[in-house]
Amino acid sequence: MENKFVVHDLNLYYKDVQALRNISMDIKKQQITALIGPSGCGKTTFLRVLNRMNDLIEGVRIDGKVLLDDQDIFGPDVDVVYLRKRVGMVFQRPNPFPMSVYDNVAYGPRIHGQRNKNKLDEIVEKSLRSAALWDEVSNRLFKSALGLSGGQQQRLCIARLLAVEPEVVLMDEPTSALDPLSTLKIEELLRDLKNHYTIVIVTHNMQQAARVSDSTAFFLNGDMVEFGPTETLFTRPTDQRTEDYITGRFG
Amino acid sequence: MTGNRLGNTVATAILWAAGFFILGLLVFFLAYILGQGFKVLSLEFVFGPAANGGVGPQLFNTFYILVLSLLFSVPIGVGSGIYLAEYAKPGRLTNLIRLSTECLATVPSIVLGLFGLIIFVNFMGLGFTILGGAAALALLNLPVLVRVTEESLRTVPHAYREGSLALGSTQWQTIRRVVLPSSLLGLITGITLVSGRAIGEAAVLVFTAGTSVSRHYPDFNPLVSGETLAVHLWYVRGEPLVANAEAVAAGSAALLVLVVLFFNLAIGLPARIYQRRLRGSS
Amino acid sequence: MNNRHLNSQLAYDKLFRYIFIVSAVIVGVIIFSIILFVSKQGLQTFQDVSFWDFHTGTVWNPPGQYGALPFVFGSVAVTLLAIALGGPLGLAGAIFMAKVAPPWIREIMRPATDLFVGIPSVVYGWVGLTVFLPIISKYTGGPGFGLFLAGVILAIMILPTVISISEDALRSVPKTLEAGSYALGATRWQTIYRVLIPASLPGLVTAVILAMARAIGETMAVAMVIGNSPQLASSLFAPTATLTTEIILNMGQTPFGSPWNNALFYMAFMLLMVSLSMILLIRFVVNRRLANDR
Ligand SMILES: Nc1ncnc2c1ncn2[C@@H]1O[C@H](COP(=O)(O)OP(=O)(O)O)[C@@H](O)[C@H]1O
Ligand SMILES: [Mg+2]
């Protein structure tokens, strides 16, 4: 299968502290890639490299190559705004804007120049349906999004992202703040989305990684210890540290 | 142990007394100002022309100068507040701008008035004008606007900005569509605060906008001198020739306080309600 | 989504970044030009007047004698008086609001202190003139104008500055520090006195300095109650003048560019320097030193 991202020999420093060491991995198109590892090992940091969200943080230094469809995302001719439109992100804590449900979903299309009211209506409904939220909010589209439950808010954030039709969806522990039922809904959603999007998901829940992902990468203290098909990694890990982690001997 | 208890009781009593003394002082001030004023305030006094003993032209000038000064100061003040909150990286330039803002905020208003006198009255040769007064007054508003803008933008959660940027919006789009709308209450409150202060300001205006009013009323010409209500209150106190100066002073004082109160209620309150709707308590 | 739209958005992004930087720079340029123009005008005084005489002379009788000491003394005296009266009261009010008052009283006092700010300084002056002056006059037998009345009015005017900054400082003390003190069996007052006040000292000192800056620069209220007699104050109840009141009363009577007029600009320059030094004091001494000493 085709590669969406190729990461080669990536190192990242926060000021003088190295947070990622020599990471190389290929992220396949229309697959779900899971990043697992104990907290503080660099999963979020790595994820935020992929759409250059780390640019916003003072004192971050990166070397190595990250290719998106064979183009270096740090190249001089790459515009980070365009990059983020192609590579969208869902955060650990749901962060809907303080506006109506409708305006949240329409936000992306609007900033990208969509003004047509009918088109917007269409996009909003389609995105909310894709995020399995339409039935729950269709009667309160014009009320504040902040009145939704946590699980609904997170699905709204997913819908908001889908509305800009990204190629890659990055998700940073999207279910960690949610109840089991909402978690289940989002996992089902992920399996549907896979057909259209490349998904990279950070999770510290190994069952979740095992349930939804095709490939899994195990991070530890800024190193990528092991990366491979999820099946293999969970049943026949090659590295002792991976085995220790997935059998719950630490972390 | 009992000594500690006693000390605590006495201190608590003193603190309560201080709190109530301060409140009492305020109640007294307001009661006195409004009480004296209501004896004088009438439609004729508030809106009538100077010839009939009214302060209509002064009231008009007060608002005219206020609006013009906001026109000058809001874009620059909000702009620099946005710069400090959204763009500035720690460094020399940022430090210098912060320091400048703090310095400008403590410059005594009389000094701003003299600066206006040098620039607008003498250097530009305008004489005493509403325009010059408004520009000088804008200098007084500016640092407050910068600070209030920066503070209210900082209350907007970082997650909103990240959420917007992660959808591929530019920083300006993020500011315009997410950050500014969510900090609107703070901004409006800040502008109300600034307006209240500007309405009562006299020292800046005496030597820039002058102490006389136009013969026409209302006169929108920004190049004529324009005494405001606060300046009028200052002026009548020193002019024994003004007919019933005492009544005019009492009326002007009450009117000034009422206008400031009105600003806080009429602008601050709707802003609060709007914000509540935005936050979605529904 | 097309490239034209993206490019125009990127152009807007750049444009607005530029606008914001420019507005920030304007603020810097303004304070710089204020210093420049006021000093340039004021320093011309010394083409006609001896620098030494101006700063040490006690007789102000222009044109001829330019001894500005009475005004400097007046300004310093009303400021100290204001802080001596208003400082402790404001601090007590701040402690009351931050730590003692029940929430509903706090809810009343917050907007109440804002209202104090909302009263214009000419109105403070007018209340001083019509309420306080007759009282003082009655008890002292004199006209009532002078340093004392000006100090009292200023003390009330600086209350909101003292209260709001001190209250913020007191509130920002970590709860754990306070809890630690209570856990050792300290009473509330002991906790306030031994833990809260020392821990928030930089903020409290900042409050006092800013209040002093406000007091020394206040013009209208003081000019209405100090008596405006350009001579060294002989008592707290004798008419005198300050830097600000002398400026406001004479600026209009003296031709621009005359020595007398320049002298008034120089007084403004003195005020400017004092208020700027207060900011520097807060920035480089209070915030650094005291914060480190903790
Ligand atoms: N903004 C930052 N500045 C400095 N260090 C950071 C920053 N963000 C994360 N780190 C550090 O980088 C390491 C990896 O963090 P992170 O990527 O958030 O881990 P994870 O998501 O796996 O829990 C941690 O040691 C963390 O302390
Ligand atoms: Mg993380």
Side-chain angles (χ1 to χ4, degrees):
Chain A
M1 219 181 265
E2 230 180 305
N3 288 332
K4 191 69 185 171
F5 271 112
V6 175
V7 179
H8 184 71
D9 221 2
L10 176 80
N11 287 279
L12 183 145
Y13 308 81
Y14 289 112
K15 302 232 166 63
D16 305 323
V17 185
Q18 186 159 15
L20 294 174
R21 248 183 306 273
N22 304 326
I23 311 284
S24 296
M25 73 194 278
D26 299 342
I27 293 169
K28 299 258 183 302
K29 215 171 226 174
Q30 293 182 11
Q31 276 206 352
I32 299 183
T33 303
L35 310 178
I36 61 169
S39 115
C41 67
K43 306 179 297 288
T44 297
T45 304
F46 178 75
L47 197 69
R48 291 169 61 103
V49 168
L50 300 178
N51 69 343
R52 291 182 54 183
M53 284 306 272
N54 287 323
D55 288 17
L56 306 176
I57 299 172
E58 201 65 36
V60 169
R61 215 177 73 239
I62 296 173
D63 58 52
K65 268 208 161 39
V66 179
L67 307 180
L68 169 62
D69 290 339
D70 300 325
Q71 192 192 18
D72 185 355
I73 65 167
F74 296 108
D77 51 338
V78 169
D79 190 89
V80 62
V81 171
Y82 185 52
L83 170 71
R84 290 187 190 135
K85 193 208 165 266
R86 295 174 63 192
V87 185
M89 187 163 203
V90 175
F91 297 82
Q92 188 164 359
R93 305 205 133 273
N95 60 349
F97 302 132
M99 341 168 158
S100 72
V101 172
Y102 183 96
D103 287 339
N104 262 281
V105 183
Y107 182 86
R110 278 180 178 144
I111 59 170
H112 296 303
Q114 183 57 265
R115 295 240 170 71
N116 185 316
K117 177 86 179 69
N118 294 332
K119 273 267 168 48
L120 282 174
D121 288 350
E122 223 173 85
I123 294 172
V124 168
E125 177 168 349
K126 181 163 157 259
S127 309
L128 284 170
R129 283 192 192 281
S130 308
L133 189 59
W134 175 256
D135 295 338
E136 291 161 62
V137 299
S138 57
N139 59 352
R140 66 182 305 301
L141 281 180
F142 298 99
K143 290 195 177 157
S144 170
L146 302 189
L148 299 175
S149 75
Q152 290 174 324
Q153 288 190 3
Q154 193 62 299
R155 276 178 287 148
L156 176 64
C157 291
I158 294 173
R160 185 175 73 183
L161 184 56
L162 300 183
V164 305
E165 301 181 338
E167 298 161 28
V168 182
V169 175
L170 308 176
M171 295 181 155
D172 189 0
E173 305 195 24
T175 60
S176 69
L178 306 184
D179 59 283
L181 207 67
S182 307
T183 302
L184 204 67
K185 279 198 172 144
I186 288 182
E187 286 183 11
E188 276 168 17
L189 177 60
L190 284 174
R191 278 188 282 264
D192 291 343
L193 295 178
K194 195 171 95 170
N195 301 323
H196 304 282
Y197 303 93
T198 304
I199 298 173
V200 185
I201 179 171
V202 169
T203 174
H204 62 207
N205 175 338
M206 278 174 287
Q207 288 77 28
Q208 185 169 64
R211 278 194 302 265
V212 302
S213 73
D214 302 296
S215 311
T216 300
F218 171 55
F219 280 68
L220 187 65
N221 293 331
D223 293 310
M224 194 181 72
V225 174
E226 190 165 350
F227 176 50
T230 301
E231 235 344 291
T232 323
L233 190 126
F234 278 101
T235 51
R236 283 168 275 119
T238 51
D239 196 291
Q240 185 59 41
R241 290 170 294 174
T242 314
E243 176 149 12
D244 289 347
Y245 183 70
I246 60 177
T247 53
R249 244 168 271 167
F250 71 86
Chain B
M1 241 15 227
T2 49
N4 289 346
R5 283 272 165 70
L6 187 67
N8 192 44
T9 313
V10 171
T12 304
I14 292 177
L15 292 174
W16 274 88
F20 274 83
F21 182 70
I22 291 169
L23 266 184
L25 213 52
L26 179 72
V27 171
F28 166 76
F29 264 74
L30 289 182
Y32 176 75
I33 295 163
L34 297 180
Q36 293 294 307
F38 280 132
K39 294 182 200 155
V40 183
L41 289 184
S42 64
L43 280 181
E44 186 58 24
F45 177 80
V46 176
F47 299 108
N52 305 358
V55 294
Q58 283 86 357
L59 188 61
F60 169 78
N61 288 338
T62 301
F63 282 104
Y64 193 26
I65 288 182
L66 170 69
V67 169
L68 286 181
S69 81
L70 289 177
L71 235 46
F72 296 137
S73 56
V74 167
I76 298 175
V78 172
S80 359
I82 291 177
Y83 174 77
L84 288 175
E86 304 290 322
Y87 292 88
K89 305 232 157 60
R92 287 271 277 289
L93 178 70
T94 307
N95 252 341
L96 200 68
I97 288 167
R98 282 240 158 71
L99 184 64
S100 304
T101 314
E102 282 170 31
C103 286
L104 194 54
T106 46
V107 173
S109 52
I110 180 78
V111 178
L112 294 179
L114 295 202
F115 177 68
L117 175 67
I118 298 178
I119 300 292
F120 304 111
V121 179
N122 290 312
F123 189 71
M124 294 173 63
L126 297 176
F128 292 157
T129 59
I130 285 177
L131 190 69
L137 195 56
L139 302 180
L140 187 82
N141 304 345
L142 198 53
V144 190
L145 287 168
V146 176
R147 206 191 52 231
V148 182
T149 305
E150 189 186 353
E151 274 171 13
S152 49
L153 295 200
R154 285 198 189 284
T155 62
V156 176
H158 199 61
Y160 291 173
R161 297 183 178 87
E162 290 203 322
S164 169
L165 292 172
L167 295 170
S169 67
T170 62
Q171 191 166 8
W172 163 239
Q173 286 176 317
T174 302
I175 292 171
R176 220 213 70 164
R177 290 171 177 269
V178 179
V179 179
L180 285 180
S182 354
S183 54
L184 206 62
L185 171 70
L187 289 178
I188 293 179
T189 314
I191 293 175
T192 318
L193 192 91
V194 163
S195 305
R197 224 181 116 195
I199 286 169
E201 180 55 40
V204 171
L205 295 174
V206 171
F207 301 120
T208 51
T211 52
S212 59
V213 294
S214 163
R215 259 170 303 142
H216 310 288
Y217 164 54
D219 191 344
F220 283 94
N221 182 356
L223 293 177
V224 298
S225 114
E227 183 195 43
T228 65
L229 208 52
V231 174
H232 190 54
L233 175 52
W234 156 256
Y235 186 72
V236 294
R237 167 227 55 104
E239 287 297 312
L241 295 181
V242 176
N244 53 25
E246 272 172 37
V248 173
S252 305
L255 192 53
L256 269 175
V257 170
L258 283 175
V259 169
V260 173
L261 284 177
F262 169 80
F263 252 71
N264 281 300
L265 293 179
I267 301 178
L269 219 59
R272 222 150 290 184
I273 291 168
Y274 166 80
Q275 190 76 3
R276 202 162 300 155
R277 195 172 314 153
L278 194 72
R279 294 268 172 224
S281 45
S282 55
Chain C
M1 172 70 193
N2 53 45
N3 258 337
R4 235 187 56 226
H5 183 261
L6 176 67
N7 286 338
S8 77
Q9 281 309 325
L10 291 177
Y12 273 122
D13 193 40
K14 237 191 219 126
L15 173 70
F16 276 96
R17 177 192 306 263
Y18 185 67
I19 289 177
F20 297 141
I21 293 178
V22 168
S23 14
V25 169
I26 288 178
V27 178
V29 170
I30 286 174
I31 184 73
F32 186 74
S33 358
I34 291 176
I35 298 172
L36 188 76
F37 279 91
V38 174
S39 66
K40 185 171 154 282
Q41 195 65 34
L43 290 171
Q44 287 176 22
T45 313
F46 302 112
Q47 293 169 354
D48 307 276
V49 181
S50 132
F51 187 81
W52 178 254
D53 290 350
F54 187 93
H55 291 88
T56 58
T58 55
V59 180
W60 181 262
N61 189 16
Q65 285 170 295
Y66 290 94
L69 202 60
F71 310 130
V72 175
F73 176 79
S75 283
V76 172
V78 291
T79 303
L80 293 180
L81 213 54
I83 213 71
L85 297 171
L89 179 61
L91 183 58
I95 296 174
F96 177 71
M97 276 167 74
K99 294 294 155 190
V100 179
W104 67 272
I105 292 190
R106 196 175 299 153
E107 288 306 304
I108 297 175
M109 284 195 73
R110 279 270 165 66
T113 44
D114 286 348
L115 276 181
F116 265 120
V117 188
I119 300 176
S121 62
V122 276
V123 175
Y124 277 108
W126 173 75
V127 174
L129 204 58
T130 55
V131 179
F132 292 63
L133 185 78
I135 299 175
I136 293 178
S137 172
K138 194 174 134 208
Y139 281 98
T140 61
F145 293 107
L147 295 177
F148 180 77
L149 179 52
V152 169
I153 294 296
L154 282 176
I156 298 170
M157 292 179 75
I158 62 173
L159 277 179
T161 309
V162 177
I163 293 176
S164 63
I165 300 176
S166 312
E167 204 210 344
D168 282 350
L170 289 166
R171 275 181 186 290
S172 62
V173 174
K175 282 265 181 292
T176 47
L177 226 59
E178 232 179 299
S181 168
Y182 285 125
L184 294 174
T187 62
R188 179 163 68 194
W189 173 241
Q190 285 173 320
T191 305
I192 291 172
Y193 186 72
R194 290 177 193 275
V195 178
L196 234 41
I197 291 184
S200 50
L201 203 58
L204 302 183
V205 175
T206 301
V208 168
I209 295 179
L210 284 179
M212 287 172 68
R214 172 138 171 61
I216 204 162
E218 175 54 41
T219 307
M220 293 323 209
V222 178
M224 286 162 94
V225 298
I226 200 152
N228 299 313
S229 158
Q231 57 191 359
L232 208 55
S234 53
S235 85
L236 283 179
F237 302 100
T240 178
T242 69
L243 292 168
T244 56
T245 64
E246 196 57 21
I247 297 171
I248 194 85
L249 283 159
N250 291 286
M251 186 49 77
Q253 341 270 3
T254 53
F256 190 73
S258 65
W260 189 352
N261 189 266
N262 288 338
L264 299 176
F265 274 100
Y266 183 72
M267 292 192 215
F269 178 65
M270 291 167 95
L271 287 166
L272 185 58
M273 287 302 111
V274 169
S275 49
L276 296 188
S277 353
M278 285 179 169
I279 285 298
L280 296 181
L281 196 68
I282 291 171
R283 272 213 152 196
F284 297 110
V285 183
V286 180
N287 288 353
R288 298 243 169 110
R289 266 288 171 66
L290 296 182
N292 289 347
D293 281 358
R294 257 199 274 160

